[in-house]
Amino acid sequence: MPQVVVTAIRATDLTLGLRRIPAGFHVAVKADGAEFWTSNKPVTVDQAVIEWDEHILLPCEPSSKVRISVYASFKSGPMLCHGEVLREFEISVRELLDRSENSHPIIFQPKPGEVISPCTSLFMALEQRLSDETDVAVPCSLTTPASGKMDALTLRTDSGQGLLARYRRMQNRSDLDQSINHFEPALDICPMDHPCRPAALFNLATAKFLTCQANETHPDLDTPISIFRDALDLRPTGHPDRPITQLHLAIALLCRFAKRGIEADHDAAEELLSEVLNICHANSHIHRAALLAIGTSSLYPAASISVNDLG
């Protein structure tokens, strides 16, 4: 029986309505108890379409079901979890083959309660090949030899990110509190020398910063600022996630400056944002957010800048 192979995946409008600054996007393909992740691809401000060209082996049986998930990631380096799920659906191999043959993408409607939602369509190009062709990626088993602690770390992080995403949509503060209840033990579990340690710090700092803004407990800004700094220390010059960490730390410092008027906070934020502008491409989302942060702080020095406003 010939193999069924995904040769390309194409998605549109991945940043539409997204409430955070994306580092990239990836797709997970699950079938028969196995899973494959595409590469994590960045997208520019004016880029409406993103395409992955990894070749992925699917089940040969046309009636077999495949689960497709499209994710936004907010880290370029090692990730603790999938990221924020934008679209997720189940479809048969037969329907995927039919849609590929007729060039019919899957069209998505806005999610309930949203006017617009990220990812408006997805198209998967498939081919049927002889079984001796080997340039395909075989999905990996979902059961891995990872330690129990690392499994718990991933689960905690996934749960926290899901709650944080829901908070950004619904503004329910209990979701924000619950996200912290997941991110704190995730940080406790993550070893000090683990490559994902800065990501665990960054997640907790982000949730605590949003809590300060939601509750207007600005004296508590010292805590997320300290955690952001710890994350930045573990992301030295050249680290792919250093600019996004600098951006969030700068925003937190500008918020504290707006409330306390500490000039050192303003100067430190200005230096961080200047480095972001020097490093990041002018057409990137991070570059645009840094410009907006500088502009907002210059025009409204007493304003409280929100990460949501810059996403």
Side-chain angles (χ1 to χ4, degrees), residues 44-46 276-289 291:
T44 59
V45 171
D46 58 357
V276 171
L277 293 178
N278 288 334
I279 292 173
C280 295
H281 191 279
N283 209 24
S284 69
H285 288 273
I286 296 177
H287 190 280
R288 183 181 67 171
L291 281 177

Side-chain angles (χ1 to χ4, degrees), residues 156-167:
R156 285 285 192 180
T157 305
D158 265 328
S159 298
Q161 291 288 12
L163 289 161
L164 202 57
R166 191 167 69 185
Y167 166 73

Side-chain angles (χ1 to χ4, degrees), residues 48-63:
V49 179
I50 186 168
E51 186 166 333
W52 297 266
D53 57 5
E54 288 98 330
H55 290 190
I56 307 166
L57 184 65
L58 296 183
C60 298
E61 176 55 51
S63 62

Side-chain angles (χ1 to χ4, degrees), residues 4 33 123 151 183 195 259:
V4 179
F123 177 73
D151 285 344
F183 289 144
K259 298 302 175 183

Side-chain angles (χ1 to χ4, degrees), residues 40-239:
N40 187 39
K41 283 200 170 184
V43 60
T44 59
V45 171
D46 58 357
Q47 186 177 350
V49 179
I50 186 168
E51 186 166 333
W52 297 266
D53 57 5
E54 288 98 330
H55 290 190
I56 307 166
L57 184 65
L58 296 183
C60 298
E61 176 55 51
S63 62
S64 295
K65 295 293 185 179
V66 180
R67 177 163 289 275
I68 313 294
S69 306
V70 183
Y71 293 96
S73 64
F74 306 97
K75 316 285 186 299
S76 296
M79 292 189 296
L80 281 171
C81 63
H82 286 85
E84 181 179 336
V85 61
L86 304 182
R87 300 289 183 179
E88 192 166 44
F89 60 96
E90 194 171 85
I91 191 170
S92 69
V93 173
R94 178 183 289 108
E95 185 175 349
L96 284 174
L97 284 167
D98 289 343
R99 286 182 172 275
S100 175
E101 183 178 353
N102 295 292
S103 299
H104 286 167
I106 298 164
I107 306 298
F108 300 110
Q109 299 301 317
K111 295 178 181 179
E114 296 184 357
V115 178
I116 55 175
S117 298
C119 189
T120 56
S121 73
L122 185 80
F123 177 73
M124 300 179 71
L126 272 64
E127 291 182 1
Q128 292 184 292
R129 299 178 173 183
L130 298 176
S131 59
D132 58 353
E133 297 185 47
T134 58
D135 61 331
V136 296
V138 178
C140 300
S141 171
L142 293 176
T143 56
T144 68
S147 70
K149 278 191 175 182
M150 297 314 295
D151 285 344
L153 173 59
T154 300
L155 288 172
R156 285 285 192 180
T157 305
D158 265 328
S159 298
Q161 291 288 12
L163 289 161
L164 202 57
R166 191 167 69 185
Y167 166 73
R168 292 176 187 274
R169 294 194 306 271
M170 310 301 294
Q171 297 295 298
N172 185 333
R173 293 188 188 180
S174 67
D175 288 336
L176 193 53
D177 294 338
Q178 289 181 56
S179 74
I180 292 175
N181 290 338
H182 285 286
F183 289 144
E184 284 181 332
L187 180 60
D188 292 338
I189 293 169
C190 191
M192 295 293 292
D193 58 349
H194 195 277
C196 288
R197 176 81 181 178
L201 287 163
F202 184 88
N203 291 336
L204 180 59
T206 299
K208 284 188 172 289
F209 175 65
L210 289 173
T211 298
C212 291
Q213 292 194 308
N215 298 334
E216 296 186 356
T217 53
H218 299 290
D220 294 340
L221 281 168
D222 294 352
T223 298
I225 286 173
S226 176
I227 302 172
F228 274 133
R229 281 180 166 146
D230 289 343
L232 187 62
D233 288 343
L234 295 176
R235 290 171 169 173
T237 300
H239 191 287

